[in-house]
Amino acid sequence: MRPIRTTLLACLSIAAISAAQAQSQPPLKLGAILDMSGLYADITGTGSETAAKMAAEDFGGTVLGRKIEIIAADHLNKADLAASIARDMIDNQGVEAIIDVAASATALAAGEIAKARNKIIMYSGPGSVRLSNEACGPYTIHYSYDTFAQANVAGLASVKQGLDTWFFLSADYAFGQDLERDTTNVVKASGGKVLGSVKHPINTSDFSSFLLQAQSSNAKVIGLANAGGDTINAIKQAAEFGITRKGGQKILPLLAFITDIDSIGLETAQGLLIAGAFYWDMNDETRAFSKRFMERTKRVPTSAQAGLYSETMHYLQAVKAAGTTDAAAVMKKMKEAPINDFFARNGKIREDGRMVHDMYLFEVKKPSESKGRWDYYKLLATVPGDQAFQPLSASRCPLVKN
């Protein structure tokens, strides 16, 4: 009994020392800059904050003797506010790394602040391919998806089905512009044609004039280069106008999340092709994480939220391996380590900061095929990362030597 008691006392002493060290050291803070109240709130928002906190908890709550803290702020979809928040987080709040920065314009603004201060910034919610091209940096990681991969997976599949004439409805900011451009390149390279496009302001409630222009083009596909509430409104209004049912045109959301499909409803969304980085019901691992996430949020995770968990965990593992929070040392470890978890398969962070991993093509189920809420997708294809994402040889990142 005495050796067991001695061992127990030793373990308790070690635990007490570790706890004391964690209390004496300043916390390691990660700053999430999110859309908490706007048209991307369901995609990122409080769900992304929850995902990051889950990663911190699952990691053990501390690293290098420091308590892990997640702090979050709402950028209100304003680029100048996102930059101001990033500056305050780093300069005044002691944040070691910034995570997510939902929406591309806000991400580009916050990214410049992080680069100027040599801090790691990891994007999960924003999609603009510029983040790993012209706006790349030595400590920048674009994690979950981007406009190139979305266009390459969904656009290419559509053209192969004979949907070879396109008209775009695009959000008038960095993300929409990049998504339209990347999809246009895929359509033309595959032998298709773009018959026209129209740009709409972010957070548009009335798409009638834009949809009428798309309808009059007689294009086989109306490509939606937008996201969140804009995608939801455009699809609902296209159904109300009978564009797909009467006119035979196909609506293709180039970026749609499962929360969007939930808002639209299967009766309207059935048959849509969806390119995505993650689906909650793919395997036992995705279901296990999603079950825990749902217990906290009452909804399944989007790919942006699942990606945020994964990138946070990968960062913390790199900090532990590096034995420091120094950005250069941590980034080296992040790029060296492969990523294989419930979110990513065959994942690796390239020199341009792009995290390359398998992507998926889904089709939205008919109401008769669904077993209940959130059972929305059928997997059509798995696209390997080196085929889905922009090849490194085509990179416009100044860090890449082509």
Side-chain angles (χ1 to χ4, degrees):
M1 290 296 291
R2 187 168 295 174
I4 295 174
R5 183 179 178 184
T6 302
T7 302
L8 178 61
L9 288 172
C11 290
L12 290 172
S13 297
I14 292 170
I17 291 169
S18 298
Q21 288 177 339
Q23 290 177 356
S24 63
Q25 295 282 346
L28 188 154
K29 296 181 181 180
L30 302 181
I33 306 177
L34 305 165
D35 179 0
M36 293 289 202
S37 54
L39 75 167
Y40 307 132
D42 286 346
I43 297 169
T44 61
T46 56
S48 286
E49 181 182 5
T50 297
K53 288 181 176 179
M54 287 175 65
E57 292 168 11
D58 291 348
F59 190 78
T62 63
V63 62
L64 306 183
R66 299 170 65 180
K67 181 181 178 181
I68 305 163
E69 287 187 9
I70 307 298
I71 61 175
D74 188 352
H75 59 47
L76 303 177
N77 283 306
K78 297 179 180 179
D80 58 344
L81 181 56
S84 178
I85 291 170
R87 188 180 299 109
D88 179 65
M89 282 183 169
I90 295 171
D91 293 351
N92 302 321
Q93 300 187 54
V95 163
E96 295 285 359
I98 292 176
I99 52 180
D100 202 316
V101 201
S104 295
T106 47
L108 290 164
E112 291 303 310
I113 302 300
K115 279 194 291 183
R117 286 153 175 76
N118 294 319
K119 291 293 186 180
I120 289 174
I121 185 165
M122 301 176 285
Y123 306 113
S124 182
S128 173
V129 75
R130 298 181 209 184
L131 294 167
S132 58
N133 281 276
E134 296 88 349
C136 76
Y139 309 126
T140 297
I141 298 173
H142 199 181
Y143 205 85
S144 295
Y145 68 97
D146 62 29
T147 53
F148 187 99
Q150 293 297 130
N152 209 23
V153 174
L156 183 59
S158 299
V159 176
K160 285 182 176 179
Q161 291 181 8
L163 301 171
D164 55 3
T165 56
W166 286 62
F167 187 98
F168 289 98
L169 269 64
S170 304
D172 193 11
Y173 76 112
F175 164 74
Q177 295 160 12
D178 288 352
L179 189 50
E180 178 183 334
R181 182 200 63 208
D182 291 337
T183 309
T184 294
N185 292 339
V186 168
V187 169
K188 290 182 176 179
S190 305
K193 295 180 180 180
V194 174
L195 304 184
S197 67
V198 61
K199 291 181 170 55
H200 66 80
I202 189 173
N203 209 8
T204 294
S205 58
D206 185 1
F207 279 87
S208 56
S209 64
F210 307 120
L211 288 168
L212 288 173
Q213 292 180 62
Q215 187 177 34
S216 64
S217 73
N218 292 318
K220 294 178 183 178
V221 180
I222 300 174
L224 302 180
N226 51 24
D230 287 334
T231 298
I232 293 168
N233 287 336
I235 292 174
K236 284 184 174 180
Q237 290 172 37
E240 291 170 4
F241 297 158
I243 288 176
T244 54
R245 185 177 66 255
K246 298 177 183 177
Q249 290 174 298
K250 180 86 171 179
I251 298 290
L252 200 155
L254 293 161
L255 178 64
F257 295 85
I258 193 153
T259 47
D260 301 330
I261 303 304
D262 187 62
S263 295
I264 295 165
L266 289 186
E267 188 63 42
T268 299
Q270 61 182 304
L272 291 176
L273 291 179
I274 305 290
F278 171 85
Y279 177 49
W280 73 273
D281 197 22
M282 290 188 67
N283 54 53
D284 289 342
E285 287 181 279
T286 60
R287 285 187 286 271
F289 171 76
S290 300
K291 180 181 179 181
R292 293 197 298 126
F293 185 87
M294 284 187 72
E295 288 171 353
R296 300 190 184 205
T297 65
K298 310 306 178 187
R299 60 177 59 203
V300 297
T302 65
S303 59
Q305 292 161 347
L308 184 58
Y309 176 100
S310 179
E311 74 183 22
T312 303
M313 183 65 75
H314 191 60
Y315 170 81
L316 294 172
Q317 290 168 344
V319 168
K320 181 179 180 180
T324 177
T325 57
D326 175 73
V330 174
M331 183 62 78
K332 184 175 184 293
K333 292 296 184 181
M334 292 184 79
K335 288 183 175 178
E336 287 175 351
I339 302 165
N340 284 290
D341 57 16
F342 75 90
F343 172 77
R345 288 288 180 269
N346 307 309
K348 182 171 180 59
I349 300 170
R350 299 189 313 202
E351 58 192 280
D352 60 349
R354 175 66 257 169
M355 201 279 270
V356 175
H357 55 88
D358 292 353
M359 290 285 290
Y360 308 99
L361 179 68
F362 304 104
E363 182 179 71
V364 177
K365 291 181 175 181
K366 299 175 183 176
S368 60
E369 297 172 319
S370 174
K371 298 176 183 178
R373 190 181 184 191
W374 308 117
D375 179 26
Y376 296 157
Y377 291 172
K378 293 185 290 187
L379 178 64
L380 298 184
T382 299
V383 183
D386 59 358
Q387 296 178 28
F389 290 93
Q390 175 183 277
L392 197 58
S393 59
S395 176
R396 304 183 296 279
C397 173
L399 302 175
V400 177
K401 297 177 181 179
N402 290 323

